[in-house]
Amino acid sequence: MTSASRRTLPDIVTVGQYLAHRLLEVGGPHVFGLPGDFNLTLLDEMLTVEGVEWVGNTNELNAAYAADAYARTSRGVAALVTTYGVGELSAINGIAGSFAEDVPVVQITGMPTSAARTAGALSHHTLVDGDYDHFVRAYREVTVASAVLRPADASRDIDRVLRAALDESKPVYLGIPMDVAAAPVSSAPLRHPLRPSPSDAVALADFATALTDVLAGQERVTVLAGPRIHRRRAEHLLERIADHPGVRVATQASAKSMLPETHPASLGIYLGQMTPSETTRRAIDEAPVVILAGTVLSDVLTGFYSQGFDLHAGVELGILQARVGQVTFHDVRLEDSLRIVDEVVSGLDLGPVPVTEETWPFRAPLPARVAGSALTQRELWTTVQEWLPVDTIAIADAGTAMYGALELQMPRGTDLLASPIWSSIGYTLPATLGTSLASERRSVLFIGDGAAQLTAQELATILHRGLAPIVVLINNDGYTIERVIQSPAAVYQGITRWNWSALPAALAPGVPVLTSQVTTVEELRAALEAASAATDRLVLIEAHLDPNDAPPLLAALGRLAGGAAESE
């Protein structure tokens, strides 16, 4: 919200209008969700605020996924509105994913009236036991702040909850009874913009001293960067650190290309024993001190805990605290601790790290096989690497798509969006709606047929809104990621077959779409070239692959996962 718009606000607004103004200030104009009888008053009030744009989804889970990707791409707080009970429970899986992946999404639930809640009326969408807080309690498990609003303190609670999302990069919950949505409140607080809480100055200074001591005498500085840097909009600080001589930076899979992979300091991705490059693995595992910047040391991101560095001996920068060795400095924000790293490293006497063909972690793409041969995973990703445009948003669903995309070297200005921590298959198709609305860069989605079946109906929203992503659908007859892990021939690994080429016309009759089916490298190359030219429409490329063919990283995951299961 601009200062001019604050000055023109009426003295009194409704709760719904107040919330809409705050969302415009801390996020973007788009609000995702579905209508339901308990949120209609709220929606009517929110949509009276100029600039708010409603994005109706096909179900609440898809709305949560779309909001998550919107927040990641727009770098603000995203919002979705659901109705009580049936709607908010449908969305809770997506909100849990946002919690796991540190994404600030506000789940807004339209609730029955305050009188009904007080009386314990046996209403529809409830568990008919008179308790209206079952789902409020459920959401406390996957949010960092929540409130059920009352007119007397609605604006205060809205500000408190939204500030928690800003501070912690986590989802939050607002329950708004029907009568409260239209209740009048003062607009005066809107004259004061919401800001994240600052770092503690004393703790920050103490951290700077400790960091200086631990890095003194080091010949080089090694950083493992994680997704929380992206959540705090601090990539520019990471690149500033990488610009110093003597610095090398690897990223976790969920932060791939956060530092441009063409940067001389880039080591590519680190995944413990699954790391594609031995150069990268040794650089991290053998470093005397590793700065863990915004990392998440989960099973998949560490190659099932196969990291070789000493976690407790290094430096760890979290969203709200920093640690040097065994000492933790609380209330130190990640963006501030990164700034301190930049300042300390700039004062070190480090020589440049030589980068040669032997130490550069990226392999040249393998050549495709002879003309006319059947498409394989290797050739799929080699061809994608040759084609992938600059300045796009690549999106890869959990499964073969993600593990294939992780071995790509991203071109300039191209990011990879994935969700390897929560790994809820189907997330990325609605996520493509979110990225397409949040950014002018074209989205390129890689998704398996099994994952796409979970959320395919959101293609309708993408098509009807005139958005034009490229969708590469990997058709391998089911759940190849599960086949790699265990029981590849089991009946549950297969799925029903769909006519994917016919699906867009069924979902959006009359909307122009470019579809193709490919089985060879030549066909894939031609389809991708045609996709680049068709900038005014959605492109769906269905690539047929063998059900048991897997990218190398996925095969490595299967071996490690199998070993982990046997050791338990």
Side-chain angles (χ1 to χ4, degrees), residues 129-164:
D129 63 353
D131 184 349
Y132 279 75
D133 287 336
H134 286 293
F135 315 129
V136 176
R137 291 192 293 270
Y139 265 94
R140 286 177 187 154
E141 297 295 322
V142 294
T143 57
V144 293
S146 64
V148 176
L149 301 186
R150 304 178 304 170
D153 44 24
S155 57
R156 183 197 67 188
D157 279 342
I158 288 171
D159 289 357
R160 172 181 62 83
V161 168
L162 291 182
R163 185 175 284 109

Side-chain angles (χ1 to χ4, degrees), residues 74-149:
S74 69
R75 311 302 185 83
V77 174
L80 72 151
V81 177
T82 69
T83 197
Y84 177 81
V86 293
E88 59 186 332
L89 290 182
S90 179
I92 199 168
N93 174 42
I95 297 299
S98 298
F99 188 95
E101 303 256 355
D102 301 298
V103 183
V105 175
V106 54
Q107 157 68 41
I108 304 162
T109 293
M111 306 183 80
T113 64
S114 303
R117 285 173 49 78
T118 300
L122 304 186
S123 173
H124 65 287
H125 295 344
T126 75
L127 300 184
V128 291
D129 63 353
D131 184 349
Y132 279 75
D133 287 336
H134 286 293
F135 315 129
V136 176
R137 291 192 293 270
Y139 265 94
R140 286 177 187 154
E141 297 295 322
V142 294
T143 57
V144 293
S146 64
V148 176
L149 301 186

Side-chain angles (χ1 to χ4, degrees), residues 211-497:
L211 181 69
T212 301
D213 291 342
V214 81
L215 293 183
Q218 296 294 323
E219 295 181 356
R220 64 186 56 178
V221 172
T222 306
V223 178
L224 178 59
R228 288 169 173 161
I229 293 177
H230 174 271
R231 306 301 188 260
R232 299 309 305 169
R233 299 107 166 129
E235 294 96 328
H236 66 289
L237 293 172
L238 178 65
E239 189 161 0
R240 222 160 67 189
I241 294 167
D243 286 341
H244 293 297
V247 175
R248 298 302 299 275
V249 178
T251 60
Q252 293 193 288
S254 51
K256 181 177 171 64
S257 75
M258 189 171 60
L259 176 70
E261 293 185 323
T262 54
H263 194 289
S266 175
L267 287 164
I269 62 168
Y270 174 86
L271 284 161
Q273 292 181 12
M274 289 172 55
T275 303
S277 165
E278 181 66 12
T279 297
T280 301
R281 190 196 64 76
R282 292 185 61 185
I284 297 300
D285 285 348
E286 297 176 7
V289 177
V290 178
I291 298 176
L292 303 173
T295 54
V296 180
L297 301 180
S298 65
D299 54 356
V300 171
L301 295 183
T302 58
F304 284 86
Y305 315 113
S306 61
Q307 71 271 19
F309 56 84
D310 185 348
L311 168 64
H312 303 291
V315 177
E316 189 171 15
L317 314 179
I319 288 179
L320 292 173
Q321 62 187 29
R323 177 181 59 79
V324 178
Q326 301 297 316
V327 181
T328 298
F329 304 90
H330 297 282
D331 298 322
V332 171
R333 306 192 63 79
L334 179 56
E335 52 270 36
D336 291 328
S337 62
L338 285 168
R339 178 175 51 80
I340 294 298
V341 171
D342 176 48
E343 293 173 0
V344 170
V345 171
S346 69
L348 299 176
D349 185 17
L350 302 174
V353 179
V355 179
T356 66
E357 187 174 338
E358 287 73 29
T359 61
W360 184 246
F362 299 103
R363 300 189 297 268
L366 293 170
R369 290 193 299 174
V370 298
S373 58
L375 193 63
T376 66
Q377 288 282 346
R378 188 196 80 171
E379 287 155 339
L380 168 68
W381 297 108
T382 297
T383 305
V384 167
Q385 179 72 84
E386 296 168 349
W387 163 82
L388 192 61
V390 300
D391 296 324
T392 61
I393 301 176
I395 308 165
D397 208 274
T400 56
M402 185 176 74
Y403 289 97
L406 284 177
E407 292 209 68
L408 298 173
Q409 183 181 357
M410 292 293 156
R412 173 182 54 80
T414 293
D415 300 325
L416 177 67
L417 187 152
S419 182
I421 299 171
W422 191 238
S423 286
S424 185
I425 65 171
Y427 158 78
T428 57
L429 204 156
T432 302
L433 169 65
T435 59
S436 296
L437 290 172
S439 174
E440 294 182 356
R441 291 183 293 167
R442 196 174 193 186
S443 295
V444 180
L445 168 63
F446 302 97
I447 187 169
D449 53 346
Q453 285 192 2
L454 272 74
T455 53
Q457 63 270 56
E458 210 58 42
L459 277 172
T461 312
I462 294 171
L463 288 164
H464 283 287
R465 293 188 70 90
L467 303 173
I470 299 170
V471 179
V472 179
L473 187 134
I474 301 169
N475 188 333
N476 48 18
D477 276 339
Y479 307 116
T480 292
I481 185 171
E482 313 298 350
R483 293 180 180 122
V484 167
I485 294 172
Q486 183 175 317
S487 307
V491 63
Y492 51 74
Q493 305 287 23
I495 60 174
T496 58
R497 293 181 178 178

